[in-house]
Amino acid sequence: MKKGHILLVEDNEGDILLTQEAFEHSSLVDKLSVVRNGKEAMDFLTKKGKYAHEAPPDFVLLDVNIPKKNGHEVLRFIKNTENIKHIPVVMFTTSSTPKDISMAYENHANCYITKPVDVKSFQTTVSQIEKFWLSLVQLSPNHYA
């Protein structure tokens, strides 16, 4: 079974650590790449600068409230860029506002998940995301070069 590569776009160090811990003993995740703002996410996905040699992720875990370019801007960029628009984007954020949820789906998010506040639920949710996207779903083989 092929192991997956996930791009985490998150600026909260606590959430980064919790996500890393959740994937630490995963049999499905080979690599977790972390960027801390929207500009870095766009550079990573288009292989610019220090990300020139990065492999494409199998899916993106994207926070809404991130610096430089917010999650909605990054989502629009992904879904409007020909060679990366096939990459699934999971909005994983503390925001549960109807406006953010609607905007995410209008911009073609693959799903929207509100982060649980307690550690155990957070890690369980991350584990469920991992299992769904890396063992149940058939991902596109159309990775960019």
Side-chain angles (χ1 to χ4, degrees):
M1 171 185 2
K2 177 191 175 288
K3 290 187 172 191
H5 176 198
I6 300 167
L7 174 61
L8 174 62
V9 185
E10 175 64 66
D11 66 324
N12 181 297
E13 292 300 323
D15 288 350
I16 292 169
L17 183 60
L18 285 173
T19 305
Q20 289 171 327
E21 287 175 2
F23 289 133
E24 198 169 85
H25 301 291
S26 171
S27 62
L28 299 174
V29 176
D30 184 40
K31 183 175 181 181
L32 176 66
S33 297
V34 179
V35 295
R36 289 169 169 77
N37 66 61
K39 173 79 170 82
E40 285 183 356
M42 294 159 79
D43 288 349
F44 185 101
L45 291 163
T46 55
K47 299 183 157 218
K48 290 187 178 156
K50 67 182 181 180
Y51 304 110
H53 301 291
E54 289 290 340
D58 291 296
F59 70 90
V60 177
L61 276 177
L62 178 60
D63 191 11
V64 169
N65 300 307
I66 52 175
K68 298 196 179 174
K69 298 280 186 180
N70 70 41
H72 294 296
E73 292 171 299
V74 174
L75 175 62
R76 273 192 300 275
F77 174 80
I78 293 168
K79 296 305 179 179
N80 288 306
T81 302
E82 191 59 38
N83 60 339
I84 61 173
K85 68 182 180 181
H86 68 280
I87 299 172
V89 178
V90 176
M91 302 303 285
F92 190 52
T93 184
T94 56
S95 174
S96 59
T97 67
K99 179 183 175 193
D100 278 335
I101 296 168
S102 293
M103 190 181 306
Y105 284 118
E106 286 168 16
N107 289 304
H108 309 287
N110 294 86
C111 65
Y112 192 101
I113 300 170
T114 303
K115 292 176 189 172
V117 291
D118 69 278
V119 173
K120 180 118 175 92
S121 295
F122 186 101
Q123 291 183 327
T124 299
T125 300
V126 170
S127 179
Q128 290 172 335
I129 292 168
E130 166 198 11
K131 286 178 183 145
F132 180 78
W133 286 105
L134 296 178
S135 69
L136 188 60
V137 171
Q138 293 291 316
L139 296 170
S140 173
N142 295 331
H143 286 306
Y144 57 89

